[in-house]
C-alpha cells in the first residue's frame, strides 16, 4: 500500500543543507515512488510565529516552492501549496488546541530553545505552534511524515493529540496516528562552526551553514573554514565518539554520496582533514550547484510558481475542508 505523506517547511529564507539532507532530499524520493500520495506544504502560518518582513515573506514563500521544484519534486505528482491559503489549517488548529494540554506543550524543547531566556516575550503562536503542525498532518489522514530529527517531539505530540481527540469524542480511528520518517544514520546536520549545535537558519553567522543558494566559492570557503579537531580522519565508527565536527562532516559526505558511513570512514581513514575537505567541497558543489542554479532560474518565473501554489491550494482545500466538516459534526457545531 502506498503512503500518505505530508510535510512542511517554513518560508523563513536561508534554506540550508540541514533542510535538504534532513527533509527535502527525502521528499524527492517519496515523490518519485508512484505508490505514494505526497503533500508538501510551505508553512507560512508557522513562519509568522517569529517576526517576518511581509515583503521578504512573500519572496521566501516563492523561494521555498522553487527549492522544492529545483530539488526534484514534481508538482504533477505531489501537491505543493501554502498553508495560509487553506483556511482549514487555522480552524483545525484552534479546535485541536482545545484537545492539547498545556502540560504537553510546556515540555516542547524547541519552544524552550527558540523562546530563549525571555519566555514572557515569546508569541503565543510560538508556544502553540506544534498544535498547528498537528492540524497540518491530521487534516490529510497522513500516514507518514518525513522530517529531520528536531521535529520528532512535535510528531509525538501530534500522535497524542490525535489519540486524545479520538478517545474524547469516541470516534475510533477518525484521526490517523502518523509515523515519522527520519533518516536513520544521519538525521541532524550540525553547524559548521560547532558540531554540537544544529545547523539552523536563525544562527547569526552565515559561516555556520551551507545555504542552498551558495555559489561554488562560498561553499568551498565555508568548508575550508569549517571547524575540525587536531586528530587525523577517523578509522572506525567508534573513533567518531566525542568528535562532533568530524562526525558531522563525514555524515554530510556519506549522505550526499549515498555511500555508507563505514565505507566513507575507510575511504578517508588516517588522512588529513584538508584532503577530505577538498573532496567534501567537490561533492557539495556537484550536488548543490544544479539546485541553486535552478532556484535562481525559477525565481524569475513568478507567475509559474504562483500557479503551482494556486493549483496545489485548490487540491489541498478539497481534502482539508472535507475533514473540517466532519470535525464540526463530531464536536457538535
Ligand atoms: P523547518 O522549516 O524548521 O525545517 C524544515 C525541515 O528541515 C528539517 N531540518 C533539519 N534536518 C536535519 N538537520 C538540520 N540541521 C535541520 N534543520 C531543519 C526539519 O526537521 C524539517 O523537517 N515545524 C516544521 C514545519 C512543519 C511541519 C508540519 C513538518 C509545519 N507543519 C507538518 C512536518 C509536518 C519546521 O519548523 O520545520
Amino acid at each position: 500500500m502506498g503512503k500518505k505523506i505530508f510535510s512542511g517547511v517554513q518560508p523563513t529564507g536561508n534554506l540550508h543543507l540541514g533542510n535538504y539532507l534532513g527533509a527535502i532530499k527525502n521528499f524527492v524520493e517519496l515523490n518519485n515512488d508512484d505508490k505514494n500520495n505526497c503533500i508538501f506544504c510551505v508553512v507560512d502560518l508557522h513562519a509568522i510565529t517569529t517576526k517576518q518582513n511581509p515583503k521578504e515573506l512573500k519572496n521566501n514563500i516563492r523561494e521555498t516552492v522553487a527549492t522544492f521544484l529545483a530539488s526534484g519534486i514534481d508538482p504533477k505528482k505531489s501537491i505543493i501549496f501554502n498553508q495560509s491559503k487553506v483556511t482549514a489549517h487555522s480552524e483545525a488548529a484552534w479546535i485541536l488546541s482545545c484537545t492539547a494540554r498545556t502540560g504537553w506543550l510546556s515540555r516542547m524543547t524547541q519552544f524552550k530553545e527558540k523562546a530563549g531566556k525571555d519566555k514572557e516575550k515569546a508569541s503565543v503562536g510560538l508556544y502553540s505552534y506544534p498544535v498547528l503542525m498537528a492540524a497540518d498532518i491530521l487534516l490529510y489522514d497522513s500516514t507518514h511524515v518525513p522530517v529531520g530529527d528536531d521535529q520528532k517531539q512535535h510528531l509525538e505530540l501530534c500522535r497524542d493529540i490525535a489519540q486524545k481527540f479520538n478517545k474524547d469524542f469516541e470516534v475510533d480511528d477518525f484521526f490517523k496516528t502518523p509515523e515519522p520518517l527520519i533518516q536513520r544514520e544521519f538525521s541532524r546536520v550540525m553547524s559548521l562552526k560547532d558540531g554540537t549545535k544544529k545547523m539552523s537558519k536563525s544562527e547569526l553567522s552565515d559561516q555556520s551553514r551551507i545555504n542552498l543558494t551558495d555559489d561554488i566559492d562560498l561553499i568551498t570557503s565555508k568548508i575550508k573554514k569549517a571547524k575540525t579537531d587536531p586528530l587525523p580522519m577517523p578509522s572506525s565508527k567508534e573513533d567518531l565518539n566525542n568528535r562532533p565536527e568530524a562526525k558531522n562532516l563525514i555524515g554530510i559526505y556519506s549522505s550526499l554520496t549515498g555511500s555508507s558511513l563505514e565505507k566513507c570512514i575507510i575511504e578517508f581513514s588516517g588522512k588529513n582533514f584538508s584532503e577530505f575537505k577538498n573532496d567534501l567541497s567537490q561533492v557539495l558543489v556537484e550536488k548543490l550547484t544544479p539546485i541553486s542554479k535552478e532556484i535562481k532560474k525559477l525565481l524569475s518565473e513568478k507567475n509559474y510558481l504562483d500557479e503551482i501554489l494556486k493549483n496545489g491550494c485548490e487540491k489541498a482545500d478539497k481534502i482539508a475542508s472535507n475533514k473540517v466538516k466532519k470535525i464540526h459534526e463530531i464536536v457538535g457545531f
Side-chain angles (χ1 to χ4, degrees):
M1 250 251 301
K3 302 182 176 87
K4 282 190 178 176
I5 307 289
F6 186 98
S7 198
V9 174
Q10 290 196 51
T12 36
N14 290 341
L15 284 184
H16 53 71
L17 189 66
N19 299 123
Y20 181 69
L21 294 180
I24 300 172
K25 185 167 155 274
N26 221 351
F27 298 176
V28 177
E29 280 163 23
L30 293 161
N31 161 94
N32 288 344
D33 184 341
D34 285 334
K35 288 197 291 302
N36 296 332
N37 282 310
C38 298
I39 306 183
F40 300 115
C41 184
V42 182
V43 291
D44 46 9
L45 294 172
H46 275 100
I48 62 161
T49 55
T50 56
K51 195 167 182 345
Q52 301 297 322
N53 170 315
K55 265 199 195 126
E56 283 173 16
L57 180 59
K58 229 181 193 129
N59 283 330
N60 287 336
I61 291 169
R62 290 194 183 110
E63 189 166 316
T64 309
V65 180
T67 305
F68 285 171
L69 301 181
S71 305
I73 296 174
D74 177 357
K76 290 197 198 80
K77 281 192 185 167
S78 298
I79 298 179
I80 297 175
F81 77 105
N82 58 324
Q83 193 186 28
S84 61
K85 297 294 180 205
V86 176
T87 53
H89 289 250
S90 331
E91 192 176 343
W94 175 258
I95 297 171
L96 293 179
S97 73
C98 301
T99 298
R101 305 290 93 182
T102 55
W104 300 354
L105 284 174
S106 302
R107 284 195 282 278
M108 295 295 114
T109 51
Q110 196 171 82
F111 173 74
K112 290 181 198 160
E113 278 165 24
K114 285 199 175 170
K117 285 198 188 88
D118 206 354
K119 289 195 184 43
E120 304 259 316
K121 292 238 169 81
S123 72
V124 176
L126 190 67
Y127 182 69
S128 62
Y129 143 147
V131 181
L132 176 60
M133 181 164 159
D136 299 341
I137 297 167
L138 298 177
L139 278 171
Y140 299 91
D141 296 332
S142 316
T143 59
H144 293 83
V145 182
V147 280
D149 181 65
D150 60 322
Q151 296 297 323
K152 199 170 162 198
Q153 200 186 25
H154 293 160
L155 250 291
E156 279 157 16
L157 181 89
C158 169
R159 291 165 61 91
D160 288 344
I161 293 176
Q163 280 162 6
K164 182 166 166 52
F165 185 95
N166 290 348
K167 190 160 165 268
D168 286 353
F169 292 98
E170 297 176 20
V171 281
D172 215 21
D173 214 30
F174 174 70
F175 282 133
K176 307 283 175 275
T177 39
E179 297 291 333
L181 288 178
I182 299 176
Q183 310 275 39
R184 246 183 314 132
E185 197 132 52
F186 188 58
S187 56
R188 189 178 280 242
V189 182
M190 309 309 271
S191 155
L192 299 180
K193 296 191 75 173
D194 177 350
T196 62
K197 271 195 184 160
K198 194 179 76 167
M199 184 178 282
S200 145
K201 300 172 197 175
S202 50
E203 169 67 43
L204 281 181
S205 166
D206 194 55
Q207 293 293 326
S208 68
R209 63 182 162 259
I210 304 280
N211 300 307
L212 295 181
T213 47
D214 284 350
D215 61 19
I216 299 178
D217 290 347
L218 259 178
I219 293 176
T220 315
S221 84
K222 283 179 180 177
I223 292 298
K224 215 177 234 165
K225 288 187 199 141
K227 188 177 169 198
T228 50
D229 55 41
L231 302 172
M233 291 293 290
S235 46
S236 71
K237 255 186 168 179
E238 292 66 45
D239 262 3
L240 289 175
N241 293 339
N242 303 318
R243 297 183 65 186
E245 285 80 20
K247 192 174 175 186
N248 186 41
L249 293 179
I250 200 145
I252 293 175
Y253 185 85
S254 152
S255 182
L256 282 170
T257 54
S259 173
S260 72
L261 197 59
E262 284 88 351
K263 269 197 186 155
C264 298
I265 291 174
I266 294 169
E267 191 181 342
F268 294 101
S269 165
K271 292 188 179 163
N272 290 328
F273 267 104
S274 57
E275 211 174 314
F276 164 69
K277 279 181 165 182
N278 283 339
D279 285 20
L280 176 60
S281 298
Q282 212 176 331
V283 172
L284 277 163
V285 166
E286 255 168 44
K287 300 279 173 187
L288 298 189
T289 41
I291 297 179
S292 72
K293 274 193 191 145
E294 187 64 14
I295 294 175
K296 282 183 193 127
K297 190 186 130 232
L298 285 166
L299 281 175
S300 64
E301 301 172 27
K302 285 196 175 117
N303 292 342
Y304 172 63
L305 297 174
D306 291 350
E307 196 57 32
I308 286 182
L309 282 176
K310 190 168 160 272
N311 284 336
C313 284
E314 279 166 16
K315 289 184 195 152
D317 191 60
K318 268 198 194 127
I319 307 171
S321 59
N322 191 32
K323 191 80 179 173
V324 160
K325 252 191 220 148
K326 291 184 185 153
I327 298 175
H328 275 220
E329 278 301 312
I330 291 170
V331 171
F333 289 157

